[in-house]
Amino acid sequence: MAMEVDADDDLLQGPEDEDYPMLERQPSYYNPLDRFKLAKGDQKNYQQQYGDLYFLRLAQLKPAVEALADEEWKNFEIAGEKVRRVERVLDVRQGELCWVAGTVYMDMPLKPNILDDISKDHWIAAPPPREKYISPTGNDLTMLEDESGRLRLIGTPLQLSMLVTGCIIAVMGTENSDGDFEVVDMKVPDLPRQPQRWERDEASAVISNGTGSKRKFSGEEKRIEGGKIAIVSGLGVSGDQGDTLTLDLLMEYLLGEACGPSEQAKVSKISRLIIAGNSIAEGTPLALREEEKKTSRKYGYDSSAYNPAPTTHFDNFLATLLPSIPITLIPGESDPANVSMPQQPIHPAMFPRSRNYAAMPDSLEPGWFDSVTNPWEGDVDGWRLMGNGGQPIDDVFKYVEGDERLEMMESLLRWRCGAPTAPDTLWCYPFQEKDPFVIEECPHVYFVGNQPRYDTMVIEGPVGQLVRLICVPKFRETGEMISLDTDTLEPEIVKFEVFDRGR
């Protein structure tokens, strides 16, 4: 008996006449800064004194904080005594109302001290890293120093403010009979000048079009609205099967393969992916057999214990994305880069597939795949972005009470220093001519990777500067990616999660 089938239920149907629009990735207008790149070869050495970095920082930021303090305190009086400016810390006189600028030094007994370590006759195993340097007995001291000497600071304003080693401040008060400086008020450099959107591109007025010639910007080509920037950190690729499912979801989402037409239209607006550190998990060498352990090692290195799986999987992840979306890669604490700040770009030899999309070694233009420094600063779609892999904030966290990461980020911007605790407790290169961690121009967006949780806020500067602060969580733990709107600078979370029936 023949069975009638409704035309609407027939699975064998002809192609539809409806035309679907072809989606194209929104272009990324990208102009990075190379402030943190170090010299190569013999031009880079570590023979200099690290203490010079603090004097360089003081010389760069002292005029700014003194100008702010002079404007605020020039007519200040207490009991008929007018405050006066003191040039050096050791010029402070007992009982005299004055103000002075210098570098903060936190004298904390629990803080690691390399001089104490090398002075010991008997070496012992290193203690585990401390979560906080704060002394439970209250033995921490706050000092103000310059090239002349140090002065101990006391007073209520210190308890109400966040201070760490390396920040530049100006303090007003008097020296008491014990030789301590009782602080009445305190000033920090505060946010510097903030460039307008597209200002840096319009100032240069020309870009290369890839043929060696130059052409001017057109307003239409760089003011496309509705764009987005994807920011993710802490991918923690280990090469195990357990971390591939969520990464595959992220990859398919960015490629537009894991969503419907409406969501694909949104994904096509993402003009660039920024990976903010810790892309590769902590090193896990391969287990060796007993006979392999007995073999001699050349230069103390055993190549048979090297595990290439993490970098191979991460390279495959990048190579799959790169034909569709440009990527900026910032190294982190667990990535194969130098430990000291600023971390230099991860070598392209680690990415045999992805490096085909990188710029040539002598090229002045950034590549589609841009492996950059940590910290990093640059212009994306006209906005000034500044970010790092999390080490500066994680180190500041050890100096202060609580866990308010946004407050720490705000303090770094108002101190105008991206890594104030370097080189005291955060390893860094011993710069001799200029401190690159000094923030010369205020960013529009400041993001920090590998933070415990997502958080965001907007802060305002003294002359109307607005900065969007973003704590980027670890993707491996949270499955969260940040999508930043380039029109409003409003972020939103895109969360990826693998459903587990066993839960």
Side-chain angles (χ1 to χ4, degrees), residues 243-255:
D243 63 8
T244 58
L245 292 177
T246 311
L247 277 178
D248 286 345
L249 288 176
L250 172 63
M251 178 178 64
E252 291 175 1
Y253 175 82
L254 292 172
L255 294 175

Side-chain angles (χ1 to χ4, degrees), residues 381-417:
D381 294 341
W383 299 108
R384 176 65 53 84
L385 271 63
M386 185 176 73
N388 59 65
Q391 297 98 312
I393 296 297
D394 293 340
D395 200 56
V396 168
F397 163 79
K398 299 178 181 180
Y399 282 80
V400 299
E401 298 279 0
D403 189 18
E404 297 297 330
R405 301 297 175 117
L406 289 178
E407 184 181 353
M408 301 175 200
M409 295 170 63
E410 179 182 1
S411 297
L412 260 66
L413 290 179
R414 298 196 185 277
W415 296 332
R416 297 194 191 183
C417 187

Side-chain angles (χ1 to χ4, degrees), residues 94-328:
Q94 181 177 334
E96 183 180 15
L97 182 64
C98 62
W99 66 267
V100 63
T103 306
V104 172
Y105 175 76
M106 304 298 294
D107 189 358
M108 312 175 84
L110 298 183
K111 191 173 61 175
N113 190 333
I114 187 63
L115 296 179
D116 292 341
D117 295 339
I118 63 177
S119 63
K120 294 178 180 178
D121 295 332
H122 303 285
W123 292 89
I124 59 176
R130 300 182 186 274
E131 183 179 358
K132 294 280 190 179
Y133 297 147
I134 301 173
S135 173
T137 59
N139 294 329
D140 301 331
L141 303 178
T142 303
M143 317 289 286
L144 187 72
E145 69 175 13
D146 60 11
E147 65 278 2
S148 66
R150 285 182 181 174
L151 184 67
R152 182 187 174 187
L153 304 180
I154 60 173
T156 304
L158 302 180
Q159 303 172 3
L160 303 177
S161 304
M162 181 181 294
L163 292 176
V164 300
T165 295
C167 58
I168 309 299
I169 64 172
V171 292
M172 179 184 64
T174 59
E175 184 180 12
N176 60 22
S177 57
D178 295 330
D180 300 332
F181 191 83
E182 296 184 2
V183 179
V184 176
D185 196 7
M186 184 181 69
K187 294 296 177 184
V188 297
D190 218 326
L191 302 184
R193 173 192 174 276
Q194 187 177 56
Q196 297 294 322
R197 187 182 184 186
W198 302 111
E199 177 182 310
R200 182 161 163 252
D201 295 325
E202 291 174 346
S204 59
V206 291
I207 60 172
S208 172
N209 62 7
T211 61
S213 61
K214 299 288 183 177
R215 60 184 173 87
K216 291 186 177 181
F217 277 113
S218 63
E220 292 78 8
E221 75 171 346
K222 66 174 186 294
R223 286 179 171 81
I224 300 176
E225 297 181 352
K228 294 181 181 295
I229 303 169
I231 307 175
V232 69
S233 73
L235 297 178
V237 179
S238 63
D240 299 333
Q241 294 182 355
D243 63 8
T244 58
L245 292 177
T246 311
L247 277 178
D248 286 345
L249 288 176
L250 172 63
M251 178 178 64
E252 291 175 1
Y253 175 82
L254 292 172
L255 294 175
E257 299 175 353
C259 45
S262 61
E263 194 67 24
Q264 285 178 342
K266 296 180 181 179
V267 173
S268 67
K269 299 294 184 181
I270 299 178
S271 62
R272 177 168 292 271
L273 172 64
I274 299 177
I275 303 177
N278 289 8
S279 303
I280 298 176
E282 294 285 349
T284 53
L286 297 174
L288 301 179
R289 297 190 298 268
E290 289 297 328
E291 56 270 19
E292 292 176 337
K293 294 181 180 179
K294 297 179 182 179
T295 59
S296 60
R297 300 180 181 182
K298 187 175 183 180
Y299 307 118
Y301 168 68
D302 189 358
S303 60
S304 62
Y306 171 66
N307 184 6
T311 53
T312 301
H313 281 238
F314 185 51
D315 182 32
N316 293 335
F317 170 79
L318 296 176
T320 306
L321 287 175
L322 280 168
S324 174
I325 183 172
I327 297 177
T328 298

Side-chain angles (χ1 to χ4, degrees), residues 43-61:
Q43 298 178 357
K44 180 176 63 176
N45 62 78
Y46 292 84
Q47 304 299 321
Q48 310 96 323
Q49 290 292 327
Y50 284 86
D52 295 340
L53 184 60
Y54 284 122
F55 297 124
L56 291 172
R57 186 178 304 166
L58 179 60
Q60 289 177 250
L61 292 178

Side-chain angles (χ1 to χ4, degrees), residues 421-440:
T421 57
D424 186 30
T425 52
L426 183 65
W427 292 359
C428 79
Y429 181 77
F431 294 96
Q432 295 294 300
E433 297 179 358
K434 187 179 182 181
D435 181 5
F437 300 120
V438 171
I439 302 173
E440 298 177 350

